[in-house]
Amino acid sequence: MTVLANSYGTADGVAVRCGQYVNDTTGLFTTTTHPTKAQVETFINQMSGIMNTSLSKAGFTIPLSQADAVQSVTGIVEEYTADMVLATGFQGRFYSAQFQASGMNRMSFIAKEIDEWVTSAAIGLENMGAARVTIGGADSLQAGVISLDFVDHNETVY
């Protein structure tokens, strides 16, 4: 597996976050580490897919291309990937007594946290220049799930 074009981060970026799982000599994931480099890249692609789903729901064009926004998202994706690496060794927050007692699925939990992060970071990402599409374009007003279009339906605007 390789990191896909729409993904954020690298196996090397994850390696610095969970050093006990990397090759002792190189400090990197390899074909003989547990997890392997290919497995870590699969995790990166999965976390990036969850991130892109959340970014897309918030109206962002994916993958992000603005440098600062990409760096921000890369850090988040690599951290969640490191969580998944730790989980392969039955370590980390997903193996805490509290998380185990919650009965929650790891991927669902990560998706929820990423949604929350995107919601809190959306205006900042947009202000940095990340491409974001408003629903209905500039002539519409969006409030939650209601979209009012004053141009296409000849409504009177006061």
Side-chain angles (χ1 to χ4, degrees), residues 72-149:
S72 183
V73 167
T74 295
I76 299 294
V77 167
E78 288 180 349
E79 281 293 322
Y80 281 114
T81 302
D83 282 338
M84 295 303 290
V85 168
L86 292 172
T88 66
F90 305 103
Q91 294 183 322
R93 67 188 182 130
F94 295 127
Y95 281 90
S96 69
Q98 182 180 2
F99 187 82
Q100 292 295 307
S102 77
M104 190 158 198
N105 173 286
R106 288 188 298 252
M107 297 301 265
S108 296
F109 188 79
I110 289 170
K112 177 181 166 292
E113 284 191 350
I114 287 176
D115 270 345
E116 291 169 358
W117 182 84
V118 168
T119 298
S120 70
I123 292 172
L125 293 170
E126 185 176 14
N127 287 345
M128 288 190 297
R132 190 175 191 192
V133 176
T134 56
I135 297 173
D139 292 326
S140 295
L141 171 66
Q142 182 182 0
V145 295
I146 300 170
S147 183
L148 303 174
D149 186 339

Side-chain angles (χ1 to χ4, degrees), residues 37-65:
K37 182 177 182 179
Q39 290 169 320
V40 172
E41 290 172 340
T42 297
F43 289 149
I44 290 169
N45 292 332
Q46 291 169 343
M47 297 304 109
S48 295
I50 293 169
M51 177 63 78
N52 282 333
T53 299
S54 292
L55 289 167
S56 179
K57 287 190 312 188
F60 288 95
T61 301
I62 57 147
L64 296 179
S65 60

